[in-house]
Structure formats: structure tokens, C-alpha cells
Amino acid sequence: MNRWFLVFIAFFLGLPLRSPAPVIYTPGEGWRYESVEGGGNWTRTRAKDQLDVAEAAFARKDYSLAKKAAKRTVTRWPFSDYAPTPSI
């Protein structure tokens, strides 16, 4: 009996404490992946603010951060006025 109790405890300790759902469905936009970590201090909650971060990083010649911030603007808010329109 003691052995089964230890197996039971080991099984539940092996499970994750929380199980986030990083794949989000938005009607009209479709499926998107949302990072579990939430990004860093360069992430913003609005498209305009995120694009401002990208432009400021580009002005500082921090091209790696500018690329990440601009890509996040386009992928997170594809129908925003601040995302570029695809050429036909």
C-alpha cells in the first residue's frame, strides 16, 4: 500500500502546477499564439504604443529590438491602422 501511495504522489508532483492556454481564437481574426511569458519590458498592449517602441529602437539603432517590436505589431494586430497593408 505504501508503494502505491508514493507512485500516486510522484504522479501528481510531476504534473504542472498551472496549464496556460497560449493559443487564442478571436472571431474575425482567427487563431493566434500568445506567449506565456508575456514578453519583456518592450511589449505594449496597444498597436500604436508597440509601433512607437519599434520606432524609438530604430532611432537608437537597436535593430534587433526594432525588428521584434515591429514584428509583434504586425502579428498581434494585423488589422490595425499601424500594421502595413499587403501589396496586391
Side-chain angles (χ1 to χ4, degrees), residues 38-58:
N41 59 359
W42 58 272
T43 60
R44 300 295 184 264
T45 57
R46 293 182 19 197
K48 171 79 170 105
D49 297 337
Q50 188 66 49
L51 188 62
D52 290 343
V53 169
E55 290 173 348
F58 189 80

Side-chain angles (χ1 to χ4, degrees), residues 9-78:
I9 294 296
F11 173 75
F12 279 105
L13 288 177
L15 293 176
L17 296 178
R18 62 183 197 154
S19 180
V23 180
I24 309 295
Y25 178 77
T26 306
E29 294 184 18
W31 294 94
R32 65 181 162 86
Y33 177 79
E34 192 171 279
S35 177
V36 178
E37 303 86 42
N41 59 359
W42 58 272
T43 60
R44 300 295 184 264
T45 57
R46 293 182 19 197
K48 171 79 170 105
D49 297 337
Q50 188 66 49
L51 188 62
D52 290 343
V53 169
E55 290 173 348
F58 189 80
R60 289 191 316 267
K61 298 185 180 185
D62 186 0
Y63 300 119
S64 174
L65 178 60
K67 180 181 174 183
K68 283 194 311 186
K71 183 178 179 182
R72 184 172 192 268
T73 303
V74 174
T75 56
R76 180 138 170 125
W77 301 281

